[in-house]
Amino acid sequence: MNGRPLLSVRGLTTEFVTPEGSIARALEDVSFDVLPGQTLGLVGESGCGKTTTLMSVMRLLPAGGRITAGRVLFRGTNLLSLSEREMRDYRWKSMAIVFQGAMNALNPVMKIGAQIREAILLHDLMDQDMAEKRVDELLEMVGISRTRRDQYPHQYSGGMRQRAMIAMALACAPDLLFADEPTTALDVMIQAQVLQLLKEIQKALGLAIVMVTHDLGVVAEVCDSVVVMYGGKVAEYGTADHIYNEAQHPYTQRLLASFPDVNKPADTLASIPGTPPRLTQLPPGCRFEPRCHMRIEKCAEVIPPLLEVSPRHYASCILREGVEADFS
């Protein structure tokens, strides 16, 4: 991708130790760049590693999770080499996250304004009076009247709670915003409003955004570049135009074929048979091979490298030709 990246993820590998003591490799050799002011989408089925990627970058993995390889470079600094105390300076100030399910992410017994103010004061960015003014500014930025700052999460609609989460994430003016399924469980009209809000905020503040979603419509609406993930690996990576118009990986092709196209309403939607692999029992070759409509015998034996099939367009499939990707 052109330009100097704000965030560069290189060879990121994350594992979890299960209660039975086995190893689940949730991410393997994941690499991508996030450019300033642009939006990158992480897409794929549930369990493919999208949220784990965000949690690994933010170093917020739950108990049992560990990063075993790779680098996460934010403006050239490897976040994986920092102490936990040093990493806290990057969270909220440099990068923040909007979690999936705002009702679960917000404190139900704490007023919305107080929760936003707490994030500001926790990082010693300003005094109490200035923090109060900042809360009002943030609420108005996301379309919530300041008169509702003293209400509790249950007094907000689902869309308003999501807007409050966005306001909280912006409290410390980060350069990078992670949005984990920000429109899940919202109706179509509210989804559109939240996406429009994110685009407006991005334009006004120059934010870079990494958006996790399984909705290809959301990707088409807001993303400049896309990482398609499957079984904890990058299946395909390129611009949104590459992914939608020149998809090279069979998994990407089937995902697109399973999504309705308003320009082709008569087309029959495709489906992908089977289920994603268990992370404790990964296939020896390509992880998509058991479900792939294009598989050949070699696919079950060889782990395909990520190839640059055209400029800035990468796919992990032995049926494609290209130069092995170099993300050094």
Side-chain angles (χ1 to χ4, degrees):
M1 306 294 163
N2 291 327
R4 187 178 180 87
L6 178 67
L7 177 74
S8 291
V9 175
R10 294 289 180 266
L12 184 62
T13 300
T14 298
E15 297 177 344
F16 288 90
V17 180
T18 70
E20 296 77 27
S22 57
I23 301 298
R25 179 159 284 191
L27 299 177
E28 183 174 342
D29 199 23
V30 172
S31 298
F32 59 84
D33 290 327
V34 181
L35 300 180
Q38 293 199 348
T39 300
L40 177 135
L42 294 178
V43 302
E45 295 169 278
S46 297
C48 71
K50 306 185 298 295
T51 297
T52 300
T53 299
L54 298 193
M55 295 298 100
S56 297
V57 170
M58 293 280 287
R59 287 181 51 187
L60 291 173
L61 290 170
R66 63 192 184 196
I67 298 170
T68 59
R71 293 175 294 152
V72 175
L73 304 173
F74 184 85
R75 290 204 175 99
T77 298
N78 185 7
L79 301 183
L80 303 186
S81 68
L82 302 179
S83 67
E84 175 57 27
R85 183 167 185 172
E86 291 171 326
M87 187 63 201
R88 288 195 198 111
D89 289 334
Y90 281 84
R91 298 192 196 107
W92 293 93
K93 288 183 180 179
S94 298
M95 56 182 70
I97 186 167
V98 177
F99 290 103
Q100 181 178 355
M103 192 61 190
N104 296 327
L106 292 167
N107 187 332
V109 297
M110 193 173 181
K111 295 175 181 177
I112 293 292
Q115 294 189 55
I116 299 173
R117 182 178 65 247
E118 182 181 57
I120 298 170
L121 296 176
L122 187 64
H123 290 86
D124 299 323
L125 296 181
M126 54 190 70
D127 61 29
Q128 184 82 21
D129 290 339
M130 292 178 66
E132 295 291 348
K133 293 178 182 178
R134 177 66 173 160
V135 169
D136 290 341
E137 292 172 359
L138 289 165
L139 288 174
E140 294 198 349
M141 183 185 298
V142 299
I144 298 175
S145 170
R146 66 179 66 188
T147 61
R148 304 195 65 172
R149 59 177 292 159
D150 291 328
Q151 292 183 327
Y152 293 93
H154 74 271
Q155 295 175 289
Y156 279 30
S157 67
M160 287 183 66
R161 286 194 292 267
Q162 201 64 19
R163 288 169 180 265
M165 279 295 301
I166 294 171
M168 191 180 305
L170 297 175
C172 301
D175 298 308
L176 177 59
L177 180 68
F178 295 111
D180 188 4
E181 301 274 12
T183 60
T184 294
L186 301 178
D187 64 52
V188 175
M189 292 298 294
I190 302 302
Q191 284 184 27
Q193 292 173 15
V194 170
L195 292 176
Q196 182 61 32
L197 172 64
L198 286 172
K199 289 197 291 186
E200 291 172 356
I201 289 173
Q202 181 177 41
K203 184 176 180 180
L205 303 181
L207 278 175
I209 298 176
V210 177
M211 183 172 295
V212 163
T213 182
H214 61 272
D215 189 333
L216 293 173
V218 170
V219 174
E221 177 72 18
V222 302
C223 294
D224 301 291
S225 55
V226 182
V227 175
V228 180
M229 300 188 68
Y230 184 81
K233 291 179 69 70
V234 175
E236 191 160 357
Y237 171 36
T239 65
D241 184 60
H242 284 144
I243 299 302
Y244 277 88
N245 299 314
E246 304 171 26
Q248 296 295 306
H249 197 284
Y251 179 60
T252 309
Q253 293 169 356
R254 297 302 274 186
L255 279 181
L256 292 170
S258 67
F259 193 76
D261 187 339
V262 293
N263 296 314
K264 302 174 183 177
D267 283 6
T268 301
L269 297 182
S271 62
I272 305 176
T275 57
R278 294 184 61 182
L279 298 179
T280 54
Q281 298 176 352
L282 294 169
C286 174
R287 294 185 180 177
F288 187 57
E289 181 271 334
R291 307 173 70 192
C292 185
H293 61 292
M294 298 175 63
R295 65 181 177 271
I296 60 175
E297 186 176 344
K298 189 177 180 182
C299 296
E301 304 167 355
V302 177
I303 298 176
L306 191 63
L307 302 176
E308 187 170 23
V309 294
S310 66
R312 304 188 306 281
H313 184 193
Y314 307 87
S316 176
C317 179
I318 63 172
L319 300 179
R320 307 302 173 205
E321 293 184 357
V323 179
E324 189 163 346
D326 181 9
F327 288 105
S328 58

